[in-house]
Amino acid sequence: MARILLADHDYADVELERTLLRDAGADVVTAQCKTEEQVIAHGRDCRAILLQSAPITERVLDALPDLGIVSRVGAGYDTIDTAACEKHGVWVANSPDYGVGEVATHALALALASIRNIVAYHRDIGAGEWHFMSSGALRRPTELTLGIVGLGRIGKRMAHVSRNVFKRVVAYDPYLIDGDFPAYVERARTLPELATRVDIVSLHTPLTHETRGLIDAKFFAAAKRGLTLVNTSRGAVVDVPDLVAALASGNLAGAALDVLPVEPIPRDSPLLADPRVILTPHAAFFSTEAELELRRKAAQNIASWLRCGRPDYPVTRGTRAP
């Protein structure tokens, strides 16, 4: 039987993966790999690696010549060196469409919680204060403009579920042609243009060398004063020190973040002390149904490769056969 490494996971049991891959003629071994050394040690003689956050690097690939495919339990794949995988002929696959609705509705919930002061009201009531003006003035959502950075599957769903909540929706995505923008979404040609036009911005972009630190001091300086930032994409898309500075200056009215560059959040982070910041624990993707779909699709990538030499959701095309 082909040997498959489940390199790391957060689940109480992995019987779903074991059963699906056993039916494809594979045997699953499990580990909790955090380093290259651990992936190499546990991955020897493995034909495939199923992973959440374990690193797949040039060094790992050099040490594992039998490896044919890497499948990520998730949509993003920033811990995988895709260029190195392509060079070595190793397939890379992911689960790109498992929690589109969950992430979009979570982002909308964060946006509304921030601009309607939901968390602040709750905190004030707990402190003994009961008044509709306790946390300050509120603006009518139908007079506000939502901005979306990244109009992929989730960005488009966010636009769809938000279009009747806000006055207008404006999006920035340099990789789409005009025809890929829904009729109800206006286009911003540049990121600074988006910043000047919107009251709330929601991030839905993958983490790449181009998007790392994309939302920085320049963006906040260009933005309307009083902007609200929502991030359910990747933590490192936002420069956190610049975000903290924008909150301190008042350029940023609030931030609602599901993802951070370092998770869990360090206990000394200034974000924890700022009442204008709402945090959730990288949970936007989650529902019971979404988790099962995610795990099934990630494992099925490997099962499909074992059966026919190609995963269902390829990111990088490989040359290595089962």
Side-chain angles (χ1 to χ4, degrees):
M1 299 179 76
R3 192 166 181 258
I4 310 300
L5 172 64
L6 176 50
D8 62 316
H9 66 90
D10 294 332
Y11 312 122
D13 71 75
V14 292
E15 194 55 35
L16 184 156
E17 290 83 358
R18 288 189 187 281
T19 299
L20 195 153
L21 290 167
R22 188 185 304 120
D23 291 346
D27 180 44
V28 176
V29 295
T30 63
Q32 292 292 357
C33 302
K34 305 298 182 186
T35 67
E36 293 174 311
E37 291 78 8
Q38 290 170 336
V39 177
I40 291 168
H42 290 283
R44 297 195 187 281
D45 302 322
C46 286
R47 300 292 294 126
I49 294 177
L50 185 62
L51 63 92
Q52 283 184 272
S53 301
I56 304 296
T57 64
E58 181 81 47
R59 182 179 170 213
V60 169
L61 296 166
D62 281 337
L64 303 178
D66 294 328
L67 185 63
I69 183 171
V70 174
S71 183
R72 168 92 209 292
V73 185
Y77 41 87
D78 42 276
T79 65
I80 302 170
D81 187 335
T82 54
C85 287
E86 187 171 14
K87 185 180 80 171
H88 284 264
V90 174
W91 291 87
V92 177
N94 67 343
S95 310
D97 59 356
Y98 71 94
V100 172
E102 282 83 355
V103 177
T105 53
H106 195 91
L108 179 58
L110 287 175
L112 291 173
S114 186
I115 65 173
R116 294 297 302 171
N117 285 347
I118 302 300
V119 176
Y121 278 138
H122 178 77
R123 184 173 54 246
D124 292 345
I125 292 168
E129 189 167 5
W130 183 280
H131 195 276
F132 64 87
M133 285 290 289
S134 67
S135 58
L138 303 179
R139 292 187 61 194
R140 181 176 287 173
T142 52
E143 294 299 318
L144 302 178
T145 297
L146 171 69
I148 295 175
V149 178
L151 202 60
R153 290 182 181 90
I154 298 172
K156 283 179 179 171
R157 182 68 67 88
M158 177 62 170
H160 179 77
V161 299
S162 302
R163 60 179 176 160
N164 294 322
V165 176
F166 300 106
K167 183 176 183 178
R168 59 174 56 89
V169 179
V170 181
Y172 168 71
D173 193 321
Y175 296 101
L176 296 185
I177 62 172
D178 288 347
D180 286 336
F181 276 64
Y184 48 85
V185 179
E186 301 173 28
R187 180 165 204 159
R189 295 291 176 181
T190 67
L191 193 59
E193 179 195 342
L194 179 90
T196 64
R197 295 177 59 184
V198 305
D199 303 289
I200 305 114
V201 63
S202 186
L203 308 181
H204 299 284
T205 179
L207 180 61
T208 68
H209 69 279
E210 293 175 300
T211 63
R212 185 177 294 274
L214 182 70
I215 307 302
D216 59 5
K218 291 181 180 178
F219 176 86
F220 294 125
K224 277 186 184 181
R225 189 171 179 83
L227 179 76
T228 295
L229 174 71
V230 176
N231 189 13
T232 56
S233 60
R234 285 291 183 268
V237 171
V238 178
D239 185 303
V240 171
D242 288 353
L243 182 153
V244 171
L247 285 165
S249 72
N251 277 7
L252 195 62
L257 311 172
D258 182 59
V259 289
L260 293 160
V262 177
E263 297 176 357
I265 187 171
R267 300 310 301 170
D268 61 351
S269 172
L271 296 175
L272 290 171
D274 195 317
R276 298 165 296 174
V277 176
I278 299 172
L279 300 171
T280 55
H282 206 138
F285 79 94
F286 180 70
S287 69
T288 301
E289 296 85 356
E291 181 185 284
L292 291 174
E293 182 183 0
L294 160 68
R295 294 170 61 187
R296 184 175 64 252
K297 286 183 172 179
Q300 186 60 49
N301 277 323
I302 294 174
S304 295
W305 176 78
L306 287 169
R307 290 186 174 116
C308 63
R310 178 185 175 87
D312 297 332
Y313 296 98
V315 172
T316 297
R317 184 178 180 82
T319 57
R320 293 185 180 177

Coordinates of all heavy atoms in Angstrom, one line a residue, residues 56-58 61-62 67-70 77 80-93 314-320:
I56 N 6.5 22.8 3.5 CA 7.1 22.0 2.4 C 8.0 22.9 1.6 O 7.6 23.9 1.0 CB 5.9 21.5 1.5 CG1 4.9 20.7 2.3 CG2 6.5 20.7 0.3 CD1 5.5 19.4 2.9
T57 N 9.3 22.7 1.7 CA 10.3 23.5 1.2 C 11.2 22.8 0.3 O 11.1 21.6 0.1 CB 11.2 24.1 2.3 OG1 11.8 23.0 3.0 CG2 10.3 24.9 3.4
E58 N 12.2 23.5 -0.4 CA 13.2 22.9 -1.2 C 13.9 21.8 -0.5 O 14.1 20.7 -1.0 CB 14.1 23.9 -1.7 CG 15.2 23.4 -2.6 CD 14.8 23.2 -4.1 OE1 14.1 24.2 -4.6 OE2 15.0 22.2 -4.7
L61 N 11.7 18.7 -0.1 CA 11.6 18.0 -1.3 C 12.8 17.2 -1.7 O 12.8 16.1 -2.3 CB 11.2 19.0 -2.4 CG 9.8 19.6 -2.2 CD1 9.6 20.8 -3.1 CD2 8.7 18.7 -2.4
D62 N 14.0 17.8 -1.5 CA 15.3 17.2 -1.8 C 15.4 15.9 -1.0 O 16.0 14.9 -1.4 CB 16.4 18.1 -1.4 CG 16.7 19.1 -2.5 OD1 16.3 18.9 -3.7 OD2 17.3 20.2 -2.2
L67 N 8.1 11.5 -2.9 CA 6.9 12.3 -2.8 C 6.4 12.7 -4.1 O 7.1 13.2 -5.0 CB 7.2 13.5 -2.0 CG 6.1 14.5 -1.6 CD1 5.1 13.8 -0.7 CD2 6.6 15.7 -0.9
G68 N 5.0 12.5 -4.3 CA 4.4 12.8 -5.6 C 3.4 13.9 -5.5 O 3.2 14.6 -6.5
I69 N 2.8 14.1 -4.4 CA 1.8 15.1 -4.2 C 1.7 15.6 -2.8 O 1.9 14.9 -1.9 CB 0.4 14.6 -4.7 CG1 -0.7 15.7 -4.6 CG2 0.0 13.4 -3.8 CD1 -2.0 15.2 -5.2
V70 N 1.4 16.9 -2.7 CA 1.1 17.6 -1.4 C -0.3 18.2 -1.5 O -0.5 18.9 -2.4 CB 2.2 18.7 -1.1 CG1 1.8 19.4 0.1 CG2 3.6 18.1 -1.0
Y77 N -2.0 28.2 0.6 CA -0.9 27.3 0.6 C 0.4 28.0 0.8 O 1.4 27.7 0.2 CB -1.0 26.5 -0.7 CG -1.3 27.3 -1.9 CD1 -0.3 27.9 -2.6 CD2 -2.6 27.4 -2.4 CE1 -0.6 28.7 -3.8 CE2 -2.9 28.2 -3.5 CZ -1.9 28.8 -4.2 OH -2.2 29.5 -5.3
I80 N 3.7 26.2 1.6 CA 4.2 25.3 0.6 C 5.0 26.1 -0.5 O 4.4 27.1 -1.0 CB 3.1 24.5 -0.1 CG1 2.3 23.7 0.9 CG2 3.6 23.6 -1.2 CD1 1.0 23.1 0.4
D81 N 6.2 25.7 -0.8 CA 7.0 26.4 -1.8 C 6.6 25.8 -3.1 O 7.1 24.7 -3.6 CB 8.5 26.1 -1.6 CG 9.4 26.9 -2.6 OD1 8.9 27.2 -3.7 OD2 10.5 27.2 -2.2
T82 N 5.6 26.4 -3.8 CA 5.0 25.8 -5.0 C 6.0 25.8 -6.1 O 6.0 24.9 -7.0 CB 3.8 26.6 -5.4 OG1 4.1 28.0 -5.5 CG2 2.6 26.4 -4.4
A83 N 6.9 26.8 -6.2 CA 7.9 26.8 -7.3 C 8.9 25.6 -7.1 O 9.2 25.0 -8.1 CB 8.7 28.1 -7.2
A84 N 9.3 25.3 -5.9 CA 10.1 24.2 -5.7 C 9.4 22.9 -6.0 O 10.0 22.0 -6.6 CB 10.6 24.2 -4.2
C85 N 8.1 22.8 -5.6 CA 7.3 21.6 -6.0 C 7.3 21.4 -7.5 O 7.4 20.3 -8.0 CB 5.9 21.7 -5.4 SG 5.8 21.5 -3.6
E86 N 7.0 22.5 -8.2 CA 7.0 22.4 -9.7 C 8.3 21.9 -10.2 O 8.3 21.1 -11.2 CB 6.6 23.8 -10.2 CG 6.3 23.7 -11.7 CD 5.7 25.0 -12.3 OE1 5.7 26.0 -11.5 OE2 5.2 25.0 -13.4
K87 N 9.4 22.5 -9.7 CA 10.7 22.1 -10.2 C 11.0 20.6 -10.0 O 11.5 19.9 -10.8 CB 11.8 22.9 -9.5 CG 13.2 22.6 -10.0 CD 14.2 23.5 -9.2 CE 14.5 22.9 -7.9 NZ 15.7 23.5 -7.2
H88 N 10.5 20.1 -8.8 CA 10.7 18.7 -8.5 C 9.6 17.7 -9.1 O 9.7 16.5 -9.0 CB 10.7 18.5 -7.0 CG 11.9 18.9 -6.3 ND1 13.0 18.1 -6.0 CD2 12.4 20.1 -5.9 CE1 14.0 18.7 -5.5 NE2 13.6 20.0 -5.4
G89 N 8.6 18.3 -9.8 CA 7.6 17.5 -10.4 C 6.5 17.1 -9.4 O 5.7 16.1 -9.7
V90 N 6.4 17.7 -8.3 CA 5.5 17.3 -7.2 C 4.2 18.1 -7.4 O 4.2 19.3 -7.5 CB 6.1 17.6 -5.8 CG1 5.0 17.3 -4.7 CG2 7.3 16.7 -5.6
W91 N 3.1 17.4 -7.5 CA 1.8 18.1 -7.5 C 1.5 18.8 -6.2 O 1.8 18.3 -5.1 CB 0.6 17.1 -7.7 CG 0.6 16.4 -9.1 CD1 1.3 15.3 -9.5 CD2 -0.2 16.8 -10.2 NE1 1.0 15.0 -10.7 CE2 0.1 15.9 -11.2 CE3 -1.1 17.8 -10.5 CZ2 -0.5 16.0 -12.5 CZ3 -1.7 17.9 -11.7 CH2 -1.4 17.0 -12.7
V92 N 0.9 20.0 -6.3 CA 0.3 20.7 -5.2 C -1.2 20.8 -5.4 O -1.6 21.2 -6.5 CB 1.0 22.1 -5.0 CG1 0.3 22.8 -3.8 CG2 2.5 22.0 -4.8
A93 N -2.0 20.5 -4.4 CA -3.4 20.6 -4.5 C -4.0 21.3 -3.2 O -3.3 21.3 -2.2 CB -4.0 19.2 -4.7
P314 N -5.9 20.9 -8.5 CA -4.5 21.2 -8.6 C -4.2 22.7 -8.5 O -4.9 23.5 -9.1 CB -4.1 20.7 -10.0 CG -5.4 20.8 -10.8 CD -6.5 20.5 -9.8
V315 N -3.1 23.0 -7.8 CA -2.5 24.3 -7.7 C -1.3 24.4 -8.6 O -1.2 25.3 -9.4 CB -2.2 24.7 -6.3 CG1 -1.4 26.0 -6.2 CG2 -3.4 24.8 -5.4
T316 N -0.4 23.4 -8.5 CA 0.8 23.3 -9.3 C 0.8 21.9 -10.0 O 0.6 20.9 -9.3 CB 2.0 23.5 -8.4 OG1 2.0 24.8 -7.9 CG2 3.3 23.3 -9.3
R317 N 0.9 21.9 -11.3 CA 0.9 20.7 -12.0 C 2.2 19.9 -11.8 O 3.3 20.5 -11.9 CB 0.7 20.9 -13.5 CG 0.6 19.7 -14.3 CD 0.4 20.0 -15.8 NE 0.3 18.7 -16.5 CZ -0.8 18.0 -16.6 NH1 -1.9 18.4 -16.1 NH2 -0.8 16.9 -17.3
G318 N 2.1 18.6 -11.5 CA 3.3 17.8 -11.3 C 3.6 16.9 -12.4 O 2.8 16.8 -13.3
T319 N 4.7 16.2 -12.3 CA 5.0 15.1 -13.3 C 5.2 13.8 -12.7 O 5.2 12.8 -13.5 CB 6.3 15.5 -14.0 OG1 7.4 15.7 -13.1 CG2 6.2 16.8 -14.8
R320 N 5.2 13.7 -11.4 CA 5.4 12.4 -10.8 C 4.1 11.6 -10.8 O 3.0 12.1 -10.4 CB 5.9 12.6 -9.3 CG 7.3 13.2 -9.3 CD 7.9 13.2 -7.9 NE 9.2 13.8 -7.9 CZ 10.0 14.1 -6.9 NH1 9.5 13.7 -5.7 NH2 11.2 14.6 -7.0

